[in-house]
Amino acid sequence: MKNRILREYIESLKEDNELDYIFPILLQAMGFRIVSTPRNSKGQPQHGKDIVAIGYDTNNIIYRWYFELKGNGAKDITTTNFYAEDGVRDSLLEAKDVAYDCQSIPKFDELPVKIVFVHNGILQANAEPAFNGFIKNNYSDVNFERWDIERLTLLFSEHLFEECIFADDVCYTLFKKVLVMLDAPGWNTNDIDRIIDIFLTRCPISKTPNKRIVNKTFAGLNLILAIIFKNCEECGNLLPAKWSSDRIILKTWSWILQNKVENRKIYYNNFMKIYDLHITIYDSYIHKLLPMALSYKGLYQPMGTYSERVCYPLRCYDFLNDLLYYYLSTEWFGYEDIPTRNDQLRIVTNIIKQNSGFDVPLLDNHSITLVLLTRFVWACGQPEDESVIKDYFESLVSR
């Protein structure tokens, strides 16, 4: 049952932003040092080297590993995608022939090379002769491995699920309950909170902690959040993923501060890997709702009853709070591929103008959103749309 859950999840992963996100988590848990990922080389040719890492094989020999990933429509190796342009054959040729230069790691170029073709599917019988013949003729002098869905299921189970998620019956039961109830009305984060607490109680705190256990603890939390995010995308409801990511980020960072390890690299770097996924979830959530929020009364529920007098302002301030947090945090941590400050302010201004629900803050904690808005406007310097925000604050004060 456990392996079936795991296999179905891995098989469903697309290559971009799914398999290429989750696979480095596995490598990290296996003790690899990640040198490069698709996120690092976005927009650049990867030459059959989606992920570059340093690590030991089963014979305890250290290699530089080149991982080529294929997912989604190309997860199964067929005669069609084997010979296709930029298909399996072309990727494997590039992985072997194009050198990878890394000057920042001493003696990197002196390490032996191992190339791994990773796909979350199978090698179909009609493509097997061509694939095996190609490997025999072109990789006779190179260490080569193929990790298919069976191998990936085994590795994820051994290095992450069995030790982290399935480590005890309580955690396993909670995890199943979270996935089953994910899109149910009234869903809350109580079970997620319990899972996080279970994980963090296992994480060692000392001057010389067991790095393997620390890495696996954070990697397990990251993997749980990635699975929740994937399931939320499939059911078309990203709110549980956003709530779950908030809880994992807040509880994990609180645990780090309480134990005074925020300046320890192993804890901080692992936390930032979870934070990257947190921002990815916010990015998907924000951009799904943004076109609606920018339309006239887009955050209003036309089929609502008198309750919209309350729900409409609450919905407006919740979305603005999430949007401002997303803009400010991505700017603070230097994330790329986000709108400029002026474009961001234009979006915020238009949302406020289009939705009358912002006219009357209802809760005390809406003052947090207003403080974030003030902080955001200050960060923009002297923007063109500043007068709109000033008029908005004046109208709030005059009421």
Side-chain angles (χ1 to χ4, degrees):
M1 174 63 74
K2 295 177 181 179
N3 279 348
R4 189 176 70 186
I5 294 173
L6 179 54
R7 180 180 176 126
E8 288 176 354
Y9 166 68
I10 298 173
E11 281 183 318
S12 70
L13 296 176
K14 300 175 183 177
E15 180 183 339
D16 293 339
N17 298 320
E18 291 186 6
L19 183 60
D20 60 11
Y21 178 84
I22 207 74
F23 188 71
I25 297 176
L26 171 66
L27 295 181
Q28 177 194 11
M30 293 174 66
F32 283 84
R33 175 183 177 182
I34 307 296
V35 178
S36 176
T37 68
R39 183 183 291 268
N40 303 136
S41 54
K42 188 174 182 180
Q44 302 176 8
Q46 293 163 340
H47 303 298
K49 302 174 183 66
D50 290 323
I51 297 172
V52 179
I54 298 174
Y56 291 88
D57 70 350
T58 53
N59 296 318
N60 207 33
I61 299 174
I62 190 168
Y63 286 91
R64 44 183 162 144
W65 298 69
Y66 299 150
F67 295 94
E68 169 64 5
L69 276 57
K70 292 291 183 184
N72 203 18
K75 66 180 182 180
D76 295 326
I77 302 176
T78 66
T79 52
T80 301
N81 62 32
F82 181 76
Y83 290 107
E85 183 178 354
D86 195 29
V88 174
R89 188 176 186 277
D90 288 350
S91 296
L92 289 174
L93 285 173
E94 282 194 300
K96 178 176 179 292
D97 295 338
V98 180
Y100 180 87
D101 186 34
C102 181
Q103 300 295 328
S104 60
I105 300 177
K107 298 183 179 181
F108 177 83
D109 294 336
E110 299 177 13
L111 296 175
V113 172
K114 182 168 285 195
I115 297 174
V116 183
F117 185 79
V118 181
H119 63 114
N120 54 337
I122 62 172
L123 171 59
Q124 292 191 351
N126 61 351
E128 192 169 354
F131 182 87
N132 291 337
F134 171 82
I135 296 300
K136 181 178 180 180
N137 294 330
N138 293 274
Y139 273 78
S140 58
D141 58 339
V142 179
N143 288 290
F144 175 80
E145 293 183 12
R146 180 175 64 87
W147 294 4
D148 60 3
I149 184 62
E150 298 292 344
R151 181 71 182 275
L152 289 175
T153 302
L154 178 64
L155 291 174
F156 271 99
S157 175
E158 179 182 351
H159 293 280
L160 277 172
F161 274 70
E162 288 297 337
E163 264 193 68
C164 297
I165 301 174
F166 297 156
D168 58 64
D169 291 338
V170 174
C171 199
Y172 174 51
T173 302
L174 290 171
F175 181 65
K176 285 197 301 180
K177 183 180 175 184
V178 166
L179 296 183
V180 170
M181 303 297 293
L182 205 54
D183 198 34
W187 186 90
N188 58 55
T189 61
N190 291 343
D191 294 327
I192 289 293
D193 287 345
R194 291 182 62 191
I195 291 174
I196 299 168
D197 291 338
I198 291 172
F199 269 68
L200 293 178
T201 54
R202 298 180 191 149
C203 191
I205 294 289
S206 66
K207 292 184 178 180
T208 57
N210 187 317
K211 293 183 179 180
R212 178 177 168 276
I213 298 178
V214 173
N215 289 338
K216 287 200 174 187
T217 298
F218 283 84
L221 288 172
N222 209 340
L223 183 58
I224 284 175
L225 185 55
I227 294 174
I228 291 173
F229 182 34
K230 172 67 176 175
N231 280 267
C232 287
E233 285 185 314
E234 290 177 352
C235 67
N237 180 13
L238 296 178
L239 199 56
K242 185 181 79 73
W243 287 344
S244 298
S245 73
D246 290 342
R247 299 303 297 169
I248 289 179
I249 286 296
L250 289 172
K251 289 180 74 68
T252 305
W253 186 245
S254 174
W255 179 86
I256 287 174
L257 292 178
Q258 287 175 0
N259 290 283
K260 300 180 180 180
V261 292
E262 63 272 19
N263 295 321
R264 304 273 296 277
K265 283 188 176 181
I266 186 170
Y267 298 101
Y268 180 80
N269 290 343
N270 274 297
F271 171 81
M272 287 307 299
K273 291 172 184 176
I274 301 177
Y275 187 82
D276 281 342
L277 180 54
H278 169 68
I279 290 299
T280 299
I281 292 171
Y282 261 77
D283 184 80
S284 297
Y285 176 78
I286 292 294
H287 287 93
K288 180 180 180 180
L289 297 182
L290 200 55
M292 179 178 65
L294 287 168
S295 61
Y296 178 67
K297 284 197 171 182
L299 295 174
Y300 183 79
Q301 171 54 266
M303 302 302 292
T305 60
Y306 287 110
S307 63
E308 276 301 290
R309 295 180 180 181
V310 174
C311 294
Y312 182 36
L314 294 180
R315 199 177 298 120
C316 288
Y317 276 90
D318 280 349
F319 182 75
L320 182 60
N321 191 79
D322 290 338
L323 182 65
L324 292 171
Y325 166 74
Y326 170 72
Y327 283 157
L328 289 169
S329 59
T330 50
E331 178 75 17
W332 176 266
F333 286 104
Y335 281 82
E336 299 177 354
D337 301 324
I338 58 174
T340 64
R341 276 294 193 201
N342 283 334
D343 289 338
Q344 292 176 3
L345 182 63
R346 196 170 297 113
I347 290 171
V348 171
T349 302
N350 286 335
I351 290 174
I352 293 175
K353 288 195 297 184
Q354 294 292 347
N355 291 276
S356 58
F358 289 105
D359 293 349
V360 183
L362 297 182
L363 302 177
D364 290 344
N365 63 7
H366 285 165
S367 61
I368 298 174
T369 305
L370 297 175
V371 170
L372 283 177
L373 180 59
T374 306
R375 167 73 178 82
F376 176 73
V377 175
W378 282 343
C380 294
Q382 294 184 340
E384 298 174 1
D385 297 334
E386 184 179 9
S387 60
V388 176
I389 303 297
K390 289 173 63 178
D391 293 342
Y392 169 64
F393 275 110
E394 288 177 1
S395 67
L396 291 180
V397 174
S398 63
R399 282 186 170 84

